[in-house]
Amino acid sequence: MPQFMDIHHGMQGITADQLDEAHKADLAIEADEQVHFERAWADPATGTVYCLSEAPSAEAVQRVHERAGHKADEIHPVPLSVW
Amino acid sequence: MPQFMDIHHGMQGITADQLDEAHKADLAIEADEQVHFERAWADPATGTVYCLSEAPSAEAVQRVHERAGHKADEIHPVPLSVW
């Protein structure tokens, strides 16, 4: 399944609880689109949130984020990864 | 230990082998700076590489990347994360 890194801007001041809540809202509905949000990271200072997902397409990622109330500003395929 | 997401641009056409080699070059010297590069993702089409690390500072992340031959274009702290 393709992997995607999506980015949200304008989230200045986001708290750990808010990030957790937003992520859970994605997880609650992601199966409808065969998407899985694996991890998310946030910087409250610059208001940036990064989400790593597996999904059939960038559009599927966006549909989940939109329905959960937080549309992504950028969605980038990341076909290569290393540990 | 603080976490960072750093981004490299201009890596159009990067292959899985090249990403693996670049990541291994970081891993080989990261201990000198108390940095650990956990994962990296790449999109050969747009030439973007994302690296997730644990490090004492953004400057320490950059010193490892510079010595390994691939300076980051952006380094963002990501103090919050969820699974």
Side-chain angles (χ1 to χ4, degrees):
Chain A
M1 184 82 92
Q3 284 200 304
F4 296 88
M5 184 75 78
D6 70 76
I7 302 180
H8 306 249
H9 299 293
M11 307 294 285
Q12 278 83 359
I14 187 170
T15 66
D17 281 353
Q18 287 170 333
L19 180 65
D20 196 48
E21 224 169 273
H23 187 56
K24 281 183 179 148
D26 288 325
L27 296 182
I29 59 170
E30 65 181 14
D32 297 350
E33 297 281 354
Q34 288 82 55
V35 172
H36 176 54
F37 287 95
E38 193 192 321
R39 290 178 70 177
W41 301 267
D43 179 19
T46 61
T48 313
V49 176
Y50 305 84
C51 302
L52 178 70
S53 62
E54 288 195 340
S57 68
E59 291 72 22
V61 172
Q62 189 65 293
R63 281 193 294 270
V64 175
H65 273 338
E66 277 198 284
R67 282 181 52 206
H70 43 252
K71 196 174 167 177
D73 295 300
E74 307 173 33
I75 303 181
H76 304 281
V78 282
L80 305 181
S81 63
V82 288
W83 278 257
Chain B
M1 182 82 91
Q3 285 200 302
F4 296 88
M5 183 75 76
D6 70 75
I7 302 180
H8 305 249
H9 298 294
M11 307 294 285
Q12 279 82 0
I14 187 172
T15 66
D17 281 353
Q18 287 169 333
L19 180 65
D20 195 49
E21 224 170 274
H23 188 52
K24 281 183 179 149
D26 288 326
L27 296 182
I29 59 171
E30 64 181 15
D32 297 351
E33 297 281 355
Q34 290 81 53
V35 172
H36 176 55
F37 287 96
E38 194 192 320
R39 290 177 71 178
W41 301 267
D43 179 20
T46 61
T48 314
V49 176
Y50 305 85
C51 302
L52 178 71
S53 63
E54 288 194 340
S57 68
E59 291 70 24
V61 172
Q62 189 66 292
R63 281 194 293 271
V64 175
H65 272 339
E66 276 195 286
R67 282 181 51 208
H70 43 252
K71 195 174 168 178
D73 296 299
E74 308 172 32
I75 303 181
H76 304 281
V78 282
L80 306 180
S81 63
V82 288
W83 278 258

